[in-house]
Amino acid sequence: MPRDRNSVVDRGAGCLLGGALGDALGAPVQYLGLADIQREHGPEGVLAPPKPALFTDDTQLTLFTADGYLRAWVRGKRTGEWEPSEMVWHSYRRWLITQQQPAPERGAVGLLADERLYESRSPGLTCLRALAAETPSTPENPHNESSGCNGVTRTAPAGFAPSAQIAYDLGCRFAALTHGGTGGWVSGGALALLVHLLAVKGRPLREAIDQVIGRVLRDDTYTATVLTRAVVLAEEHDSGAPVRVDRLGSGWTGPEALAIAVYTVLTHPKPVQFVDAMRAAANHSGGSDATAALTGNVLGALHGTEALPRDWLSGLELVDVLDAMGRDLGCSAVNLDFNEDRYA
């Protein structure tokens, strides 16, 4: 178990900040093959985020996931009405406004009042089309068959739900709002469950991953198989050999991206290995921003903010918002007071 409730709060901040750091590290190379990455950045590839460290729509949407979930949590506490998926759907629609307008409207509140979020970071068409629909997509009634990685990359905040079961269910439902393929939403639930077990329950890493695979197996054998392969490859890994995340695919789908993150974390489980883990997760041919972001989410949930490199954090955009919202998620999970009026 985490030492105390403050530990969970710190892990909430670590989870969001770690994910944003990975996103910013991988963003400049996300569409490059490994040979091109090495040609542009040297034989070791990209080593640190640029300054300023700008993240993609993945982290923007993670913030809006956290905002929607916390709005649902505050509303549930005050009125007894508990509709997290509906609240997150409306939150994602607010994010859509930031992609369509140049600046906040007068009287905007919450995240919509922060002009730094009015930046288009080439969001995927799957997300844009899904969020432009009149009604939300669900696992039971999906609007598309996409299993792309942009569903799972924003579900980490669901990990701070009241229980493991709720975390998994909400992660699935949040991802399914835009990605209707089974792997697209099951991987979202898997990440949320993993974050919950590590950050809130304090489970050992390998035990938590095994529990996630067992739960996922009931909904999608493919995702469970890919995650199991990540565990097997990590067990076979020689500590003196380079980490080969490409053996699990390119990371363009949700299951592959999460499997790459699991493999990377298992081969770099210590706090002092955070930077090496980020580099391993980003330097490959494929979805570098997604795989590094998920690796950062998991390591932040596991170790908290102490593992995060201060020089990387110093250049990270919206670091103040990520830190505050991550701590609010942690507070909600352990019933510590926070400024609920921000989400009323």
Side-chain angles (χ1 to χ4, degrees):
M1 292 290 292
R3 288 171 298 173
D4 53 36
R5 293 191 293 176
N6 289 326
S7 172
V8 178
V9 174
D10 182 69
R11 293 176 193 212
C15 180
L16 295 200
L17 289 168
L21 289 176
D23 191 9
L25 176 68
V29 300
Q30 63 174 310
Y31 298 115
L32 300 180
L34 180 58
D36 294 320
I37 295 174
Q38 292 171 325
R39 188 176 302 114
E40 291 191 14
H41 297 275
E44 295 182 76
V46 61
L47 298 178
K51 288 193 175 182
L54 305 179
F55 46 68
T56 73
D57 59 305
D58 292 340
T59 299
Q60 289 178 338
L61 279 162
T62 297
L63 283 171
F64 279 86
T65 303
D67 183 67
Y69 172 77
L70 286 166
R71 287 176 183 273
W73 189 91
V74 170
R75 182 180 178 186
K77 178 181 177 182
R78 295 181 177 182
T79 71
E81 297 182 35
W82 171 249
E83 295 288 348
S85 295
E86 179 182 334
M87 297 295 280
V88 169
W89 164 252
H90 290 304
S91 189
Y92 289 166
R93 301 266 281 189
R94 287 193 291 275
W95 167 80
L96 202 57
I97 293 172
T98 70
Q99 305 301 292
Q100 298 167 334
Q101 298 181 2
E105 294 182 348
R106 180 173 297 180
V109 297
L111 290 179
L112 280 186
D114 196 322
E115 62 183 12
R116 295 172 295 176
L117 280 164
Y118 288 74
E119 296 283 346
S120 178
R121 300 287 164 77
S122 301
L125 285 176
T126 299
C127 279
L128 293 175
R129 288 170 178 162
L131 297 178
E134 292 299 318
T135 57
S137 173
T138 67
E140 297 83 9
N141 184 27
H143 290 187
N144 58 49
E145 296 181 356
S146 176
S147 290
C149 61
N150 293 119
V152 62
T153 51
R154 52 182 161 78
T155 63
F160 295 89
S163 72
Q165 180 179 346
I166 295 173
Y168 178 77
D169 181 66
L170 291 183
C172 290
R173 294 189 175 280
F174 294 170
L177 289 170
T178 57
H179 288 67
T182 305
W185 54 263
V186 166
S187 56
L191 174 66
L193 177 56
L194 183 56
V195 166
H196 183 86
L197 294 174
L198 295 175
V200 180
K201 297 299 186 185
R203 297 284 191 269
L205 177 61
R206 179 57 194 278
E207 177 186 318
I209 291 170
D210 287 345
Q211 186 171 338
V212 168
I213 292 172
R215 178 62 187 87
V216 165
L217 187 60
R218 291 157 52 186
D219 290 326
D220 185 32
T221 55
Y222 173 72
T223 300
T225 299
V226 175
L227 292 175
T228 299
R229 178 163 168 73
V231 173
V232 171
L233 289 177
E235 289 176 342
E236 294 174 352
H237 177 68
D238 180 346
S239 60
V243 173
R244 290 282 308 279
V245 301
D246 59 323
R247 297 173 70 185
L248 289 158
S250 60
W252 291 122
T253 68
E256 282 186 2
L258 185 58
I260 287 172
V262 165
Y263 170 61
T264 307
V265 171
L266 283 171
T267 53
H268 301 79
K270 301 176 182 177
V272 296
Q273 295 176 305
F274 181 89
V275 169
D276 288 338
M278 291 292 100
R279 292 169 178 169
N283 286 296
H284 64 94
S285 302
S288 298
D289 59 330
T291 53
L294 295 175
T295 302
N297 286 145
V298 176
L299 285 173
L302 178 63
H303 299 306
T305 59
E306 186 176 343
L308 309 181
R310 295 298 178 264
D311 55 332
W312 288 18
L313 285 172
S314 67
L316 181 64
E317 68 173 329
L318 286 162
V319 64
D320 54 331
V321 178
L322 288 157
D323 183 75
M325 196 162 280
R327 293 182 186 281
D328 288 348
L329 285 169
C331 286
S332 73
V334 292
N335 294 313
L336 284 175
D337 291 337
F338 62 98
N339 185 2
E340 297 178 8
D341 292 338
R342 282 197 289 239
Y343 311 103

